[in-house]
Amino acid sequence: MAESERRSPPDSSEDILPATQNFIIPKKEIHTVPDMGKWKRSQAYADYIGFILTLNEGVKGKKLSVEYRVSEAIEKLVALLNTLDRWIDETPPVDQPSRFGNKAYRTWYAKLDEEAENLVATVVPTHLAAAVPEVAVYLKESVGNSTRIDYGTGHEAAFAAFLCCLCKIGVLRVDDQIAIVFKVFNRYLEVMRKLQKTYRMEPAGSQGVWGLDDFQFLPFIWGSSQLIDHPNLEPRHFVDEKAVNENHKDYMFLECILFITEMKTGPFAEHSNQLWNISAVPSWSKVNQGLIRMYKAEHEEVSH
């Protein structure tokens, strides 16, 4: 694509970048409970939640197999994730006494830590190169913690923030919405599941049986939006193994359920009590609204 095409004016619904944009390396600002109030009142929080809700609306009622536009930026993001996937293959788990938290993950992470800016530079056009160090921090934060060898919804949120940053600087555009969720975020989930399995990562900040899921949250939100007004599948069906096996390739929510059942043993109602309760909700739109409320509440409480 010609450079002039790629820099066509943003949609009127998007912010036009100021001529002098200053980029700063993100640093941790939330250290105490009162800091959460500052975060909730910030423009960054409004932008982040707005981004999540816009994508939620964009995928409503759509299967993963639906036709959608795939831009050059989307292709480059998928290539970046494919690189992370390849590095897992090149970094097999090591023999160690403890079952969880394989130390080979630290070797894999060190490679990302070293290469993150180069990877992000493959996605961001040269005239926006100043943004790379800032955006790369979110990518590094999105794959888990190398000290604890764990992964959780805070890391997932960092990946969503990474994509949100790419929208803010104009790399991703309004008409990339469906591809952001179905092509990029879905590929991210595949790579994260492979990390979790390969290196036996611990759940970060897990609420155990009281949490929605050990590792993810957003695919349940966007996945329930996909299922709104589905002619046959109702929330009660996601605890039915046959319904999940037949439809998981089309719906992120069911893909998440399949992964849980692969990773956990015993009755679903016991190991995933919150999800089991959700299966009693009468409609997918109610599930979707409830999950959004729950996600906002979690972002009021979580301070990492």
Side-chain angles (χ1 to χ4, degrees), residues 234-253:
E234 295 170 26
R236 64 189 172 91
H237 289 121
F238 78 73
V239 291
D240 170 7
E241 197 180 331
K242 185 171 181 285
V244 171
N245 287 335
E246 286 174 2
N247 297 283
H248 70 91
K249 286 189 168 70
D250 281 325
Y251 299 102
M252 296 174 106
F253 195 104

Side-chain angles (χ1 to χ4, degrees), residues 5-75:
E5 283 177 64
R6 216 171 32 232
R7 291 197 219 170
S8 56
D11 291 52
S12 55
S13 60
E14 288 182 298
D15 295 338
I16 294 173
L17 278 179
T20 54
Q21 183 83 352
N22 291 322
F23 297 101
I24 55 165
I25 302 295
K27 66 181 197 297
K28 185 168 174 160
E29 294 280 7
I30 302 167
H31 300 280
T32 62
V33 172
D35 290 340
M36 288 306 291
K38 194 166 70 176
W39 157 237
K40 286 283 290 180
R41 291 186 299 273
S42 70
Q43 184 58 45
Y45 176 81
D47 288 347
Y48 178 78
I49 295 294
F51 178 68
I52 301 300
L53 296 179
T54 301
L55 295 176
N56 186 61
E57 200 55 39
V59 299
K60 193 171 165 184
K62 296 181 175 74
K63 291 181 174 186
L64 285 168
S65 54
V66 76
E67 296 245 328
Y68 50 81
R69 175 181 176 273
V70 178
S71 65
E72 191 181 352
I74 294 288
E75 293 282 18

Side-chain angles (χ1 to χ4, degrees), residues 54-204:
T54 301
L55 295 176
N56 186 61
E57 200 55 39
V59 299
K60 193 171 165 184
K62 296 181 175 74
K63 291 181 174 186
L64 285 168
S65 54
V66 76
E67 296 245 328
Y68 50 81
R69 175 181 176 273
V70 178
S71 65
E72 191 181 352
I74 294 288
E75 293 282 18
K76 286 175 175 176
L77 280 166
V78 172
L80 182 158
L81 291 165
N82 290 344
T83 299
L84 301 189
D85 190 327
R86 192 182 74 245
W87 290 349
I88 301 172
D89 295 335
E90 292 168 3
T91 319
V94 295
D95 282 338
Q96 62 177 46
S98 65
R99 192 161 152 243
F100 288 95
N102 195 284
K103 290 181 176 62
Y105 171 78
R106 291 182 182 144
T107 308
W108 179 89
Y109 184 88
K111 194 163 176 66
L112 172 61
D113 194 37
E114 193 182 313
E115 293 291 331
E117 290 191 18
N118 293 334
L119 288 172
V120 173
T122 65
V123 178
V124 174
T126 47
H127 69 283
L128 292 169
V132 168
E134 180 174 334
V135 178
V137 173
Y138 293 102
L139 178 65
K140 288 193 282 190
E141 288 284 320
S142 74
V143 297
N145 182 288
S146 65
T147 307
R148 297 188 303 266
I149 314 183
D150 65 8
Y151 174 91
T153 52
H155 301 112
E156 176 193 79
F159 191 74
F162 167 68
L163 296 173
C164 185
C165 289
L166 293 175
C167 287
K168 291 288 283 182
I169 62 174
V171 173
L172 295 171
R173 318 183 71 77
V174 167
D175 53 4
D176 286 320
Q177 273 177 35
I178 299 172
I180 288 170
V181 180
F182 287 179
K183 200 149 180 75
V184 178
F185 194 82
N186 207 39
R187 183 73 185 108
Y188 164 75
L189 287 176
E190 288 170 359
V191 178
M192 292 308 103
R193 286 174 185 138
K194 188 167 171 177
L195 275 180
Q196 289 150 25
K197 271 181 165 169
T198 305
Y199 304 120
R200 302 301 296 267
M201 297 177 79
E202 298 272 13

